[in-house]
């Protein structure tokens, strides 16, 4: 029997609520499809930081380096500055494990309506590839003369040829694997005349390796309009760390709620474990209330199962999610319903058990 070791890191806020739900659903998948998942649970997060001064132990990465994958909740607490948590926990895993391809699918799931008037469902089926290792979030910069009138602060966006090439190859490859073989390269090379121009040049070079993929280029500001007004013209998208961060929250809103959107932080070469997480954050306004939507974590778990090669289980979990979202009585408050996290989780596990596909 196949056996997987998964590191579960709930982190902060609703992280613990949605990761508990995800673990339950993944165990139900394993039972249904005849494999075993051993979860190791790590209490890394802001509580630990407030007590010990560190979000994770000094040897933290070594503790999870050999795991098959990481299931992550959220990093962020009301009483810790966001840049401290993000760099202390989430990026402290993503960067050393070189999870450079962040993949974010968006679809309108059954039973959920898009705020876009002309979208009933099939018009919107996207996957955003976010460069996840450099660019605007490379961490290069500094701050000097703090508090003085001459204070200076810089965040330098840093792009490397190798970094852009690998994410472009990944995105073209992903576009090729989808039926429409259609990629939009998002840029801002009119205003940012160095790195973004190199980004465009490398896109064109890599495109030559993928003659069967149709591609076009779009300035990021115009891209927000195209996503809103002509969603059916888009399939796969590749964008920088910052641009894709923003565009994917917009995409999640179009799909009905931030609470359903999934993401995979992939190290495609599998040198290091990849990390799967809902795209939402700690959701301070609803934490502890038992109403967090677990669908984003379930869908991220589908991506994890696909990456592990458990394609039957992945498809079965996706069908279970869609069966449950189709039933409005199982919608959590973010989708306008009254269901609790546990109601949705139980329904997904039941749908899994009853799925004979
Ligand atoms: P957020 O995603 O936490 O919340 C935005 C809104 O969406 C809130 O109204 C929230 O209630 C709602 N929401 C989010 N997830 C939901 C779910 N599963 N079910 C129902 N409703 C949901 O974003 P924010 O308020 O900007 O950030 C809060 C904290 O989370 C901050 O500290 C931020 O830095 C952190 N954060 C972390 C990550 C991450 O670790 N990946 C991502 C985003 C934000
Ligand atoms: Mn974001």
């Amino acid at each position: 029997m196949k056996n997987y070791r998964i590191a579960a890191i709930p982190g902060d806020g609703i992280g613990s609520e949605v990761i508990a739900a995800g673990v339950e659903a993944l165990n139900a998948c394993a039972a249904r499809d005849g494999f075993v998942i051993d979860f190791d649970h790590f209490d890394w997060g802001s509580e630990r930081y407030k007590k010990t001064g560190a979000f994770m132990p000094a040897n933290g990465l070594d503790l999870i380096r050999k795991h098959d994958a990481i299931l992550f909740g959220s990093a962020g607490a009301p009483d810790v500055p966001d840049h401290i948590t993000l760099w202390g926990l989430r990026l402290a895993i993503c960067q050393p494990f070189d999870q450079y391809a962040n993949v974010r699918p968006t679809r309108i799931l059954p039973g959920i309506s898009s705020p876009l008037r002309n979208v009933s469902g099939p018009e919107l089926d996207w996957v955003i590839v976010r460069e996840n290792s450099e660019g605007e979030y490379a961490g290069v910069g500094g701050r000097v003369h703090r508090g003085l009138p001459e204070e200076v602060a810089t965040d330098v966006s840093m792009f490397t040829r190798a970094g852009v090439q690998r994410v472009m190859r990944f995105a073209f490859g992903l576009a090729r694997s989808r039926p429409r073989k259609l990629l939009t390269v998002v840029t801002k090379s009119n205003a940012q005349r160095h790195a973004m121009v190199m980004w465009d040049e490398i896109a064109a070079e890599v495109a030559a390796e993928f003659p069967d993929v149709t591609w076009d280029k779009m300035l990021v500001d115009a891209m927000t309009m195209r996503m809103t007004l002509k969603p059916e013209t888009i399939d796969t998208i590749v964008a920088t760390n910052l641009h894709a961060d923003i565009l994917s929250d917009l995409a999640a809103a179009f799909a009905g709620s931030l609470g359903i959107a999934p993401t995979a932080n992939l190290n495609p070469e599998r040198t290091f474990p990849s990390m799967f997480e809902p795209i939402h954050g700690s959701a301070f306004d609803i934490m502890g209330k038992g109403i967090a939507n677990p669908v984003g974590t379930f869908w991220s778990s589908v991506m994890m199962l696909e990456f592990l090669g458990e394609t039957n289980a992945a498809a079965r979990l996706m069908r279970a999610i869609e069966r449950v979202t189709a039933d409005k009585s199982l919608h959590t408050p973010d989708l306008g319903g009254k269901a609790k996290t546990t109601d949705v989780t139980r329904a997904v596990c039941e749908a899994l058990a009853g799925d004979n596909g």
Side-chain angles (χ1 to χ4, degrees):
M1 199 181 276
K2 268 207 121 159
N3 197 311
Y4 300 99
R5 268 183 84 200
I6 307 295
I9 308 175
D12 301 326
I14 61 168
S16 55
E17 301 168 50
V18 295
I19 294 307
V23 167
E24 204 176 323
L26 279 164
N27 276 330
C29 282
R32 176 67 186 73
D33 274 270
F35 57 93
V36 175
I37 303 181
D38 289 324
F39 286 97
D40 289 321
H41 298 269
F42 296 90
D43 66 346
W44 304 348
S46 295
E47 285 310 312
R48 194 180 184 287
Y49 171 75
K50 283 186 272 176
K51 272 189 231 128
T52 70
F55 290 88
M56 57 164 105
N59 66 341
L61 293 175
D62 291 331
L63 297 177
I64 57 176
R65 192 182 298 278
K66 293 277 184 282
H67 282 70
D68 293 299
I70 304 161
L71 185 63
F72 187 82
S74 172
D79 48 359
V80 181
D82 285 340
H83 67 279
I84 304 278
T85 21
L86 187 64
W87 284 93
L89 187 57
R90 195 168 158 276
L91 292 178
I93 298 171
C94 281
Q95 293 214 341
F97 282 170
D98 209 18
Q99 296 163 348
Y100 64 83
N102 183 208
V103 182
R104 304 182 153 199
T106 308
R107 280 193 294 121
I108 314 293
L109 299 182
I112 296 179
S113 41
S114 172
L116 291 176
R117 207 174 8 177
N118 298 323
V119 168
S120 67
E123 305 85 352
L124 199 162
D125 182 357
W126 303 335
V127 52
I128 299 178
V129 177
R130 169 181 178 184
E131 200 299 311
N132 210 32
S133 67
E134 53 177 40
E136 307 87 345
Y137 300 173
V140 180
R143 199 162 159 193
V144 292
H145 309 312
R146 271 180 197 251
L148 298 178
E150 40 285 312
E151 181 166 359
V152 183
T154 60
D155 274 295
V156 180
S157 70
M158 186 203 68
F159 289 82
T160 64
R161 174 164 284 276
V164 176
Q165 226 164 26
R166 66 184 185 175
V167 78
M168 287 294 171
R169 286 206 175 102
F170 181 90
F172 272 93
L174 182 61
R176 172 186 269 170
S177 75
R178 289 167 55 88
R180 293 172 72 190
K181 302 190 194 310
L182 178 64
L183 177 70
T184 300
V185 175
V186 174
T187 185
K188 191 62 195 175
S189 51
N190 54 345
Q192 294 183 297
R193 59 196 177 149
H194 308 296
M196 287 289 87
V197 173
M198 182 179 79
W199 170 270
D200 293 358
E201 285 170 9
I202 294 172
E205 287 164 23
V206 171
E209 301 167 18
F210 296 84
D212 52 336
V213 174
T214 308
W215 73 288
D216 61 7
K217 204 172 76 181
M218 199 87 207
L219 296 173
V220 63
D221 39 355
M223 188 65 181
T224 60
M225 290 215 303
R226 180 164 161 196
M227 287 167 71
T228 310
L229 301 175
K230 293 186 175 152
E232 70 287 353
T233 68
I234 300 168
D235 186 81
T236 308
I237 300 168
V238 63
T240 69
N241 217 328
L242 169 67
H243 293 163
D245 187 5
I246 298 167
L247 295 180
S248 54
D249 272 30
L250 180 63
F254 288 168
S257 168
L258 194 52
I260 62 172
T263 185
N265 301 281
L266 299 182
N267 173 250
E269 292 74 25
R270 300 173 190 256
T271 314
F272 303 101
S274 293
M275 183 159 83
F276 300 81
E277 54 170 347
I279 86 166
H280 65 74
S282 304
F284 307 141
D285 50 338
I286 59 163
M287 63 187 182
K289 295 188 177 160
I291 55 169
N293 193 337
V295 169
T297 302
F298 295 154
W299 196 346
S300 304
S301 303
V302 170
M303 299 180 82
M304 175 189 286
L305 291 168
E306 280 168 358
F307 194 73
L308 293 174
E310 293 293 342
T311 43
N312 286 339
R316 205 185 302 283
L317 178 54
M318 198 67 222
R319 282 196 296 273
I321 294 169
E322 295 189 6
R323 184 151 343 145
V324 167
T325 61
D327 180 350
K328 287 198 168 59
S329 76
L330 291 167
H331 284 189
T332 43
D334 55 304
L335 291 171
K338 289 201 173 75
K340 301 266 190 193
T341 312
T342 47
D343 300 329
V344 183
T345 308
R346 195 179 318 113
V348 164
C349 292
E350 281 168 11
L352 272 172
D355 179 316
N356 294 314

